[in-house]
Every structure is written in structure tokens, then in C-alpha cells.
Amino acid sequence: MAKPRLVAAVLALSAAIAAMGVGQRHDFTTTSAAAAPRAYVVGKSGLVQVVDTRTGTVLAHADTAGRATGLAVSPDGRRVYVVNGWTGAVTEVDPDTGAVVDRLFTQVQLSQAAMRPDGRRLYVSASGSIAVIDPEHFRVVAAVKVPGQPQGLAVHPNNQVLYVANAQDGTVGIIDTATAFQTSTVQVGGLPQHLAISPDGKRLYVSGMSLGEKTPGTLSVIDTTTNQVVGTLAVGRGAGSIAVTPDGSTVYLTLPKESSVAVVDTATMTVRERLPFNTPSVAIAPGDPRVFLATGTTTTVLDSSNTVLATYRMRSGELEDARPRQFDAAVIAFPPGQPTATGLRSSSSKSSQSSTGSS
């Protein structure tokens, strides 16, 4: 193994392919032409697994050798970026072979990640700032200073706006991606943790953790045209990961402290039902009606009526001394949706320069 350096250290792992798709009703076929063929799952310990969403087969796996706090996928699905938050590293993985391609050390603690839909920038929340990474050259090109403790990130489909959950001051920051500068904030209160934007880009959903036993967690919705909060729903303790259905009609919100998932009707901002799953992460691929839940040693797949379509068994890993290491799914991710035709900048336009580099 090469010695670590600040920007990158190339690590090699042997490719591995395994068929361990054991699950409940796993032999279904999807009729959606837009169904995602692969899901990308990372465990708490940094193990990555690439899953065939039709059969549950683990196509490849990798070990990023550090506790994972975030995950993002390139638009073409050819690269996976794992945030090893405690060690301040971002690890680049080839999902076809399971090889660790590169590793970027930032020297600060990191949290979550989001890929811009055009694939030209990867954003990672850090202590007091957002690291802006050029995926092509895998280097930090800017650092956006933000107040509080940034957590969840989301990028507007037009690529022009990055949203960040500022946990300590109860706001959502609005960042101009061209200048890498926070232009304004929206007060949502509580402890904002996770963000998800509707496919049409008109609504941003914010989960907020509870403040003590008497103050519930919340799901807030921001109108991205006016940048105003247009609804807030009390949902219980420990509001976490969020996913929005392709038609924008439903939001899934994990409640890890209550071992459940809230299914929210976005038109009325009411909880339609609560699903009995203990999961830290929920994800929905662009255009795919299925819902994917990280359920420990398995990945659970639901249809649009919340019926379990499949439960896929994940692979276990091994420590250096060959002792088995149980997979504990922490985050599921898919490639971002393609940019909308409205409001896109020309690909030949040049971004402005920030004080720390090009955004």
C-alpha cells in the first residue's frame, strides 16, 4: 500500500463477486423502465456493497477502512464516494470491481455528501464548512464557510443551488454553486439533520431532531422559489433520513429512535402511516417507484403500496485477522437524477472564483 498523502493515496483491493441474494419474494421483476439496476449500500464500518436491485445479488464489495457517515454516487454510476467522517477522508470506489481507487484526506471531521446532478462537483459537509470536490481530478477546489454544524446536503436539479442543514443554528443554508458562497439562510428551528429535494425542485424537505423529550422531531418543507417554510409537521423522536417519491406525492422519513418509518402525504403534510422498520437510511432512485431501506444485515425493498417486495441479505466482511465482521447498513444511495432543461447554465460557461478556489 502506498503511503498516505494529503490529496490521495491509491489503494488496491481485489475484485469480488458473490451471489448472496437471499430474501423474501426476491424473484420479482419491475415494470418501470426507469428502475435503478443497482443500489449502493455502505455499512457503518465502511464496507461498501453494490446490489443488483432485481435479484439482490451482491455484485461487488469494498472496504473503505473507516467508519462511514455519508455516501454519494456519480451520475453514471461508475464511481462511489464514501465519507469516512471520523477520519476526515473521502474514499473513491470503483463499483464494478470493488477496488478502492483513491482517497482524499481533508484533515477535518466530515459528515454527509451530495453529488451535483451534472456530476461536476461533489459536496461534503465538514466542521464549519462545506468541502467542494472536483470528482474528475479528485481534489478539493473550494471551501464554503457556513455557520453552525453542517449536516445534510441537497442540490437543486438545475445544479445552481446547494442546500445545507446547519444543525447548531436551526437553519438551512442556501449556497450559490457558481461562487461557492452562502447567500442566505432559512430558519426552520430545531436541529436540522437531513435534506431531500423533490424531483421537480420545487420543494425541499428538512428533518429535524427533537430537542429533549418534550419537543418532537419535525419534518419541514421549504418552497424553493420563495425560500420560505410552507409547512412543518411534528413526527416524533429522532427524525432522520428522507426520500421523496418520483411523483413528489410522498415523503419517507426514518425515525430511528422509534424503530419506524413515517410515510407523509406531501399535499396535506400528514402522516399517512408508520412502517415498523428500524432503519437509519431510506432512498428512492430517480424515476423508480420502489423504496429502499437500510435494515441492518439486509436491504428491504418496498413497492409504492409499502408492501415488502424483497429482503436482500448483505455480505459479511472480514477483519485483517480473518475474523468475520457483520455488515450493518448505514446509508443507501443512487446516482442523482439528470439535470432539468430549465435554468441550466451552458456547459461552456466558467464558474466564478471563490477565495479558496474554483467552485
Side-chain angles (χ1 to χ4, degrees):
M1 181 184 299
K3 294 182 179 180
R5 52 192 175 89
L6 176 61
V7 175
V10 180
L11 306 177
L13 292 179
S14 60
I17 299 177
M20 296 187 66
V22 178
Q24 176 181 350
R25 295 176 57 194
H26 65 278
D27 55 346
F28 75 95
T29 57
T30 178
T31 58
S32 172
R38 299 194 295 182
Y40 305 83
V41 188
V42 63
K44 292 179 181 178
S45 65
L47 293 173
V48 180
Q49 310 221 9
V50 182
V51 183
D52 185 321
T53 66
R54 295 162 299 182
T55 65
T57 301
V58 175
L59 302 173
H61 74 285
D63 189 351
T64 62
R67 186 174 179 84
T69 59
L71 179 66
V73 184
S74 64
D76 60 9
R78 297 180 63 183
R79 284 293 183 267
V80 175
Y81 301 92
V82 178
V83 181
N84 303 116
W86 291 9
T87 56
V90 181
T91 303
E92 180 182 8
V93 175
D94 182 335
D96 292 325
T97 66
V100 172
V101 179
D102 215 339
R103 200 185 302 275
L104 176 65
F105 293 94
T106 64
Q107 299 183 338
V108 295
Q109 188 167 324
L110 305 175
S111 184
Q112 299 184 43
M115 175 65 69
R116 207 161 78 184
D118 63 8
R120 296 177 62 183
R121 290 293 181 264
L122 170 68
Y123 301 99
V124 180
S125 52
S127 181
S129 65
I130 306 299
V132 183
I133 297 172
D134 174 2
E136 182 178 359
H137 301 96
F138 204 47
R139 62 188 180 93
V140 176
V141 295
V144 186
K145 297 297 181 183
V146 294
Q149 183 63 39
Q151 293 291 325
L153 303 167
V155 187
H156 194 281
N158 67 10
N159 297 302
Q160 296 174 358
V161 182
L162 170 68
Y163 301 94
V164 52
N166 296 318
Q168 285 186 344
D169 65 4
T171 66
V172 171
I174 300 173
I175 295 171
D176 185 326
T177 60
T179 61
F181 183 77
Q182 181 169 284
T183 59
S184 61
T185 60
V186 179
Q187 188 71 43
V188 294
L191 297 172
Q193 295 292 310
H194 295 266
L195 303 177
I197 196 163
S198 60
D200 61 9
K202 295 181 179 181
R203 293 288 187 269
L204 178 71
Y205 295 93
V206 187
S207 69
M209 290 183 63
S210 54
L211 292 170
E213 294 296 326
K214 295 183 179 181
T215 305
T218 58
L219 176 68
S220 300
V221 56
I222 296 173
D223 183 322
T224 60
T225 302
T226 63
N227 291 330
Q228 299 292 319
V229 176
V230 294
T232 300
L233 172 67
V235 291
R237 298 183 298 120
S241 172
I242 316 170
V244 188
T245 55
D247 62 4
S249 67
T250 306
V251 163
Y252 289 80
L253 172 66
T254 66
L255 300 170
K257 291 185 178 180
E258 298 184 356
S259 298
S260 66
V261 177
V263 182
V264 178
D265 185 308
T266 60
T268 61
M269 283 298 286
T270 57
V271 176
R272 190 181 300 151
E273 63 179 307
R274 293 180 185 268
L275 308 177
F277 295 101
N278 184 9
T279 173
S281 180
V282 57
I284 299 173
D288 193 328
R290 296 173 297 171
V291 180
F292 292 76
L293 303 173
T295 46
T297 59
T298 62
T299 296
T300 301
V301 187
L302 310 178
D303 65 13
S304 57
S305 66
N306 300 323
T307 299
V308 175
L309 287 173
T311 303
Y312 297 145
R313 182 70 55 185
M314 309 305 292
R315 290 189 53 160
S316 296
E318 289 186 352
L319 299 173
E320 291 183 358
D321 59 4
R323 288 181 297 160
R325 178 172 48 172
Q326 188 178 61
F327 188 82
D328 189 359
V331 185
I332 299 178
F334 293 96
Q338 294 302 306
T340 60
T342 303
L344 288 180
R345 297 189 303 274
S346 168
S347 59
S348 62
S349 65
K350 293 183 179 180
S351 299
S352 302
Q353 301 288 319
S354 73
S355 60
T356 51
S358 172
S359 62

